[in-house]
Amino acid sequence: FVGKLVGRYYDSQGNFTKYLKGVEVKAARGAQLLEKQKKEEAKQPSCNSRWSQGDGGEVWCDDGVPRLVQRPLEIALTGKMSKRCACFKEEQLDQPGLEVYDGCDFLGKSCRV
């Protein structure tokens, strides 16, 4: 393991190489993006959810209606686009990118998933 670090990330005297500095910069940027994502997601409450083998899954909102919404920063962090369930009030439903769960009423407070 140590042999792999010497040469790429450290020189033979144990000093950082430009590759290690690049990794540190990327890690710091990833931490910033995660923090930004947390702040953005805190503005829109997450759905309640439950799952059981017999009944399957359900998402619901105590206030508002459930919608699938993309996590735009996720692609910068992992290279993949993911979605989460968030609760939106009726007056917010005209925002772009909100998806109604398949088979769920447009204004339904709970949806089977």
Side-chain angles (χ1 to χ4, degrees), residues 32-92:
Q32 288 175 338
L33 289 172
L34 278 174
E35 191 60 33
K36 182 177 180 182
Q37 181 168 294
K38 284 180 188 175
K39 287 179 181 176
E40 287 299 312
E41 289 182 2
K43 294 177 185 177
Q44 209 61 51
S46 294
C47 303
N48 300 302
S49 65
R50 68 176 150 235
W51 184 88
S52 72
Q53 192 167 0
D55 296 330
E58 179 182 16
V59 293
W60 75 94
C61 296
D62 296 325
D63 187 21
V65 295
R67 291 291 186 270
L68 274 171
V69 61
Q70 291 184 342
R71 291 177 142 157
L73 298 177
E74 192 76 17
I75 198 161
L77 295 169
T78 66
K80 297 177 183 174
M81 183 66 77
S82 67
K83 297 178 185 180
R84 73 178 188 108
C85 184
C87 297
F88 290 84
K89 297 185 186 301
E90 282 187 51
E91 60 270 15
Q92 297 175 301

